Amino acid sequence: DGGITQSPKYLFRKEGQNVTLSCEQNLNHDAMYWYRQDPGQGLRLIYYSQIVNDFQKGDIAEGYSVSREKKESFPLTVTSAQKNPTAFYLCASSSLATEAFFGQGTRLTVV
Amino acid sequence: GEDVEQSLFLSVREGDSSVINCTYTDSSSTYLYWYKQEPGAGLQLLTYIFSNMDMKQDQRLTVLLNKKDKHLSLRIADTQTGDSAIYFCAEKGFQKLVFGTGTRLLVSP
């Protein structure tokens, strides 16, 4: 089945740790996106990538990093510099001619 | 820059029509979308409209686009309790996909 997969579904991070959230798609989409959603809030764009080996900062990139070494994969690392990382993280992909498809999200909690 | 705005909350009775409104600012947007989010889940695409269209109907859903005013609306006919969720509009310009703040729809029996 074609789709976009995020893992893990739940993730716990200790203070000062880096953690990496996985996002994989087999839809052959060029563009991939990471969003953060806080309780009762909308989606804020963290990073996006239009093509392999290239990515741009979104509105709230500080404390996050990404890579795009393969078309199918766009992992997001939440670094220790992100002071308030507890949130719901959503990954999406799209092509020029299609709508955006979303993964089921990863809920990150700092413990 | 891009900015997408929605009202935060809408409450309707079961069987009524719901209308969720959205305004956007990027006139170069090629696609405009409506997504639905249920608690703890990702976003599910409901419908979308090309920027050169005025209206699109899909079963109980009707999307209206006023390009001059940069206004998008989603009408849900015969709203059911299962329609209770957060609804996001989004615009897709040349590079970015930008979402509104979301409208929480509450349907009461």
Side-chain angles (χ1 to χ4, degrees), chain B residues 46-59:
Chain B
L46 284 178
T47 187
Y48 63 95
I49 189 168
F50 293 106
S51 58
N52 62 357
M53 296 170 65
D54 297 323
M55 186 183 91
K56 181 178 179 183
Q57 187 151 4
D58 184 1
Q59 298 183 328

Side-chain angles (χ1 to χ4, degrees), chain A residues 12-49:
Chain A
F12 297 89
R13 190 194 96 167
K14 291 183 181 177
E15 298 269 359
Q17 266 186 342
N18 291 357
V19 290
T20 298
L21 283 60
S22 169
C23 180
E24 304 275 333
Q25 54 100 358
N26 60 3
L27 300 165
N28 201 34
H29 286 165
D30 289 309
M32 296 187 75
Y33 309 83
W34 274 107
Y35 295 89
R36 170 179 170 142
Q37 186 178 29
D38 292 285
Q41 305 283 319
L43 301 180
R44 291 186 288 169
L45 182 63
I46 305 172
Y47 269 98
Y48 63 104
S49 167

Side-chain angles (χ1 to χ4, degrees), chain B residues 4-5 10 18 21 33 43 48 57 59 64 70 81 87 91-92 94 97 108:
Chain B
V4 180
E5 294 187 357
L10 176 65
S18 306
N21 295 302
Y33 304 96
L43 272 64
Y48 63 95
Q57 187 151 4
Q59 298 183 328
L64 295 177
K70 296 190 181 73
T81 54
Y87 291 81
E91 60 174 348
K92 186 177 178 191
F94 178 64
L97 181 61
S108 54

